[in-house]
Amino acid sequence: MTPYKRILRIVAIGSLVFSACHQASDQKFFDTSNMDTTVKPGDNFFLYANGGWLKTAQIPPTETSVGGFLDVYKKTQQHLKDILDDLAKDTSAAAGSLQQKVGDFYAAGMDSATIDRLGYEPVKPVLAKIEAIKDVKGLIQFVASEHTYGVPLLFNLQVGPDEKSSMVNIPSFYQGGLGLPDRDYYFKTDPATQGIVQAYQKYVLTLFTLTASDSTTAVKNVAAVYALEKQMAESHLTNVQLRDPQKNYNKMAVARLTKEEPNIGWQDLMAGLTIKTDSVNVGEPGYFTRLNALLSSTPIETWKWYLRFHVLSDASTALSTDFVNANFAYAKALTGQQKLKSRWERMIQSVDNNLGEALGQLYVNKYFTAEAKQRMQELVDNLQKAFEGRISKLDWMSDSTKQKATEKLHAFLKKIGYPDKWKDYSQVQIQKGKFFEAEMSARQNNYHFQVSKAGQKVDRTEWGMTPPTINAYYNPTFNEIVFPAGILQFPFFDLAADDAINYGGIGMAIGHEMTHGFDDQGALYDKDGNLRNWWSREDSTRFRSKTQLVIDQYNQFTVLDTLHVNGALTTGENIADIGGLAIAYDAFKLTKQGQGAEKIDGFTPEQRFFLSFAQIWRSKVKDERVRQLINIDPHSPPMYRVLGPLMNFDPFYAAFHVQQGDKMWKAENARIRIW
Ligand SMILES: [Zn+2]
């Protein structure tokens, strides 16, 4: 839910689902019928590898995209559905057991008759509390109390390692409070953005009218709420500014904040949040200064309408059909998704969000093998060796910085599949027929888990993703790379596949996450996860100029009409893609297949490696979703995640005889080589 997380993800494209029309019955690890061999590989390798598939692929109406590598998402959903359907029917599970909680939670969410009958009854007590607010002090009290139920009003709160003392947890307060995805939406004047703003205002209006305010009052207050959010948005940092870790680290004493921002009333706020530390990190101080001013300059009635909307919006997906539809109408404008997903799919998502490590335990018991974990461990070790070899050969870095870089690489914490220690759900109360309350109980449990860490020693066994997640991450303050069980499936990984497939797939993902430890942000953290410089000045300068080359290259990629990739927003991911490919390739060349010459389907081992790499990004995305992602996603669009790295990689030129005149060709001395 927090828009700003210091977890850098390899895949943040959302819920992409594999189209049913391409469910190959006998699994081939690379399907040549997906290719378009009329395209020259050196002109557009993404189209060469995936063009045949792109010609016929259809985005299902319940999705915003479709893609080959997301085969795995649909498959995983089905696995989770099987588990949950069984549990929901099971009446023998002991009260209080994980099976009972997960099963009853899902059953409560699937009980649409009860949910529809209740309308917005479950959220009425919260609305009554808003009604009773008399002043700013009362408002802050309410906001704090809602945070304890995981409703992120006005700001985002996270408890995690202090970036400059990474063994101790500190609460961090980040800018928040907006209903549109990002500050820029409030200021852009192009027709696409205007359409989204209108849909957003309509959403606010619908929630007001559904909860029985007369239409004149409702319309007036939609405008007031929007104007208030726009003032908040003015003080928000941009997505690019949020990428600067130093700028977003501002440790402050609560006593000082209490004095400087009396309307927020930090001391009372902290008490309401049940956090007991003397200091906090304020990610974006400018936002909180503005918030403090707005609390007194905006009429309390306007604030109350603002709160009503955000409380209702947060609850909407757990309420009756009217509310679910209102929420979806806005999502539709934002992403282009035509039809709401079926209830079971939405409920799986909710179980994963709320009881993720409970469901995760049941999932890995059934669908994850010790063999897969073992094989993945070997792959990670091989990639680490290959990366070490590359660092030792870098021509732009001094020996002393190389030594530090190698130490950081060796210090990586490697997590595969699922956590060694599971989160505790003993306090969660779930009853059938009470879905909203079930969500609140789970969210409250999660909140208390988070805040109980404040001021405490960091527990490095904690995971930031649930086991079925089709994703991976590098976390700079833990200096760790993490691969949930979900991503250890084809087309990323398969125990039966040849090395070209696995190294081009999950190998690239491993290399990508490792490189995040050394991208423009990750490189600012030392081996212990502290935001502390370990570079010589000269090396740092050379690294910055290479980073600039990456920004310049990606700025030139056009996505839709005049829309370009935002090089500055995507730098970290692009560096990780460029490095990840190179490291995975080197590791592949250490394998028997990589050293051989045996062709499969007419392709050399090297060619097959690159084809595997291109197929993991095979996808087609709705235009609306493309526009949204360009604004907020730190990853480049799939096609450029393929073309960008390959254009800079010599072995690709050799494998496919790419020559001057080909569209992807870059002069040898213009190719970017970082890691
Ligand atoms: Zn990434």
Side-chain angles (χ1 to χ4, degrees), residues 265-452:
W266 281 86
Q267 201 153 16
D268 291 347
L269 173 65
M270 294 286 283
L273 293 168
T274 69
I275 304 176
K276 296 186 180 72
T277 55
D278 295 332
S279 49
V280 298
N281 173 39
V282 180
E284 301 80 26
Y287 170 71
F288 289 89
T289 308
R290 171 65 65 95
L291 177 62
N292 185 64
L294 286 171
L295 283 167
S296 56
S297 66
T298 305
I300 194 77
E301 280 311 311
T302 302
W303 276 115
K304 287 163 75 167
W305 283 101
Y306 168 89
L307 294 175
R308 275 182 199 109
F309 165 67
H310 282 279
V311 162
L312 285 165
S313 177
D314 179 77
S316 60
T317 52
L319 302 178
S320 60
T321 305
D322 289 350
F323 290 86
V324 173
N325 287 345
N327 179 286
F328 176 67
Y330 170 47
K332 185 176 176 179
L334 212 48
T335 66
Q337 184 182 328
Q338 291 304 300
K339 262 182 71 187
L340 187 65
K341 283 184 199 290
S342 53
R343 178 165 280 275
W344 68 262
E345 271 189 280
R346 288 180 278 131
M347 290 310 124
I348 286 175
Q349 196 55 55
S350 178
V351 180
D352 186 54
N353 290 342
N354 291 293
L355 299 171
E357 289 196 7
L359 177 60
Q361 294 176 47
L362 306 170
Y363 172 75
V364 296
N365 285 344
K366 194 160 174 190
Y367 294 105
F368 190 59
T369 64
E371 290 78 20
K373 188 164 179 161
Q374 163 80 35
R375 178 84 181 100
M376 183 61 183
Q377 189 71 54
E378 288 166 22
L379 277 154
V380 171
D381 291 346
N382 290 348
L383 266 284
Q384 208 169 13
K385 264 182 230 137
F387 199 175
E388 186 178 351
R390 292 190 69 86
I391 291 172
S392 72
K393 287 192 229 96
L394 294 176
D395 60 4
W396 56 273
M397 187 183 265
S398 68
D399 286 345
S400 65
T401 307
K402 277 182 185 175
Q403 195 191 330
K404 300 260 173 48
T406 308
E407 280 168 18
K408 182 171 181 182
L409 176 68
H410 285 158
F412 274 161
L413 193 57
K414 299 175 263 192
K415 293 179 179 170
I416 296 166
Y418 54 91
D420 293 332
K421 195 170 96 189
W422 298 100
K423 284 188 178 125
D424 176 22
Y425 294 98
S426 57
Q427 298 304 309
V428 180
Q429 303 289 333
I430 312 285
Q431 284 175 48
K432 282 187 178 160
K434 292 197 177 254
F435 182 53
F436 179 81
E437 290 78 359
E439 269 202 349
M440 287 298 128
S441 178
R443 287 165 70 164
Q444 203 177 14
N445 184 67
N446 185 44
Y447 178 81
H448 286 300
F449 169 76
Q450 292 301 327
V451 297
S452 68

Side-chain angles (χ1 to χ4, degrees), residues 504-505 508 581 609-617 641-642 645-646:
M508 187 277 167
L581 176 71
F609 168 88
F610 290 117
L611 287 167
S612 167
F613 162 64
Q615 91 166 339
I616 66 173
W617 297 116
R641 300 193 71 169
V642 175
L646 290 178

Side-chain angles (χ1 to χ4, degrees), residues 9-10 512 516 573 635:
R9 293 161 184 211
I10 166 175
H512 173 102
H516 270 315
E573 293 299 334
H635 304 88

Side-chain angles (χ1 to χ4, degrees), residues 177-178 180 186-187 197 200-201 204 219-235 290 294 297-299 302-303 306 310:
L178 306 181
L180 284 162
Y186 293 85
F187 309 107
V197 169
Y200 176 56
Q201 292 176 334
V204 182
V219 169
K220 197 179 87 198
N221 286 300
V222 170
V225 167
Y226 187 77
L228 173 56
E229 285 190 6
K230 192 168 179 174
Q231 291 181 76
M232 293 160 84
E234 277 170 355
S235 67
R290 171 65 65 95
L294 286 171
S297 66
T298 305
T302 302
W303 276 115
Y306 168 89
H310 282 279

Side-chain angles (χ1 to χ4, degrees), residues 39 153 157 207 402 535 579:
V39 177
L153 298 174
L157 170 64
L207 292 188
K402 277 182 185 175
W535 292 66

